[in-house]
Amino acid sequence: MRGILLICGMLLAFNTAASKITMNNPDEQELKGGKMLCTYENSIYLFTLVTRSQSCPYSKTFDTSDSEK
């Protein structure tokens, strides 16, 4: 019984970890009002982020279900 619970717990932990992706080195585009459009893209995922900072974060973790591709 403990073995089954352990396996279920491991599968749940793997499923949670698999829904996140960390991407880096975004394309930056300056928008009106001093905002920045940050585009993180690879062959599978596309994420955009608008920030009021003068530069985009070099790396950012996203939920894979939020991908625009």
Side-chain angles (χ1 to χ4, degrees), residues 1-11:
M1 181 67 171
R2 286 185 184 177
I4 292 173
L5 290 175
L6 178 64
I7 291 171
C8 289
M10 289 174 52
L11 289 174

Side-chain angles (χ1 to χ4, degrees), residues 6-34:
L6 178 64
I7 291 171
C8 289
M10 289 174 52
L11 289 174
L12 181 62
F14 176 74
N15 187 25
T16 302
S19 67
K20 302 280 184 185
I21 184 169
T22 300
M23 300 185 72
N24 55 29
N25 198 19
D27 290 328
E28 299 180 352
Q29 181 180 1
E30 190 171 348
L31 302 174
K32 293 180 181 179

Side-chain angles (χ1 to χ4, degrees), residues 35-46:
K35 294 182 180 180
M36 294 293 289
L37 175 64
C38 311
T39 305
Y40 299 84
E41 184 175 17
N42 66 15
S43 61
I44 302 170
Y45 299 108
L46 170 66

